[in-house]
Amino acid sequence: MKYDEEKFNSAVEEYKKAIGNVESKSFLVIFDKDNKEAFFSLAPLSRAIHELDGDMHVAGIGEDKDSLDAVREVWRTYKE
């Protein structure tokens, strides 16, 4: 799959400016698997968080949202 590298790098820089300092922080990103825009935005977002020394975890959900509840419970437990 070909992509526009300049557009990708620009999106990474935009995310980095919007996010700010995320060193040693973790992000949980949950997106609807049917939303192509959300899916394709994951790559530049992931690169931005990586370059800022953060961690990103992603869960794609569809009609069955039981897995989302499980992920939220794990993160709730981790936070406590």
Side-chain angles (χ1 to χ4, degrees):
M1 176 178 191
K2 292 188 178 207
Y3 63 93
D4 184 337
E5 190 172 353
E6 187 175 319
K7 189 174 179 181
F8 177 83
N9 290 334
S10 175
V12 170
E13 292 306 314
E14 286 181 39
Y15 277 123
K16 286 168 68 173
K17 287 178 190 173
I19 295 169
N21 183 12
V22 299
E23 187 175 349
S24 301
K25 293 184 181 173
S26 295
F27 292 81
L28 173 60
V29 178
I30 301 168
F31 73 101
D32 186 331
K33 292 189 288 187
D34 295 327
N35 185 332
K36 287 184 181 181
E37 221 174 89
F39 176 77
F40 287 113
S41 69
L42 292 173
L45 176 60
S46 176
R47 169 76 63 86
I49 290 174
H50 172 75
E51 288 181 3
L52 294 169
D53 294 321
D55 290 315
M56 183 170 130
H57 309 272
V58 178
I61 61 168
E63 289 182 25
D64 177 17
K65 295 192 175 37
D66 291 339
S67 60
L68 174 59
D69 292 335
V71 170
R72 283 185 179 151
E73 187 61 33
V74 168
W75 275 71
R76 218 176 279 124
T77 302
Y78 173 77
K79 186 176 179 181
E80 291 173 2

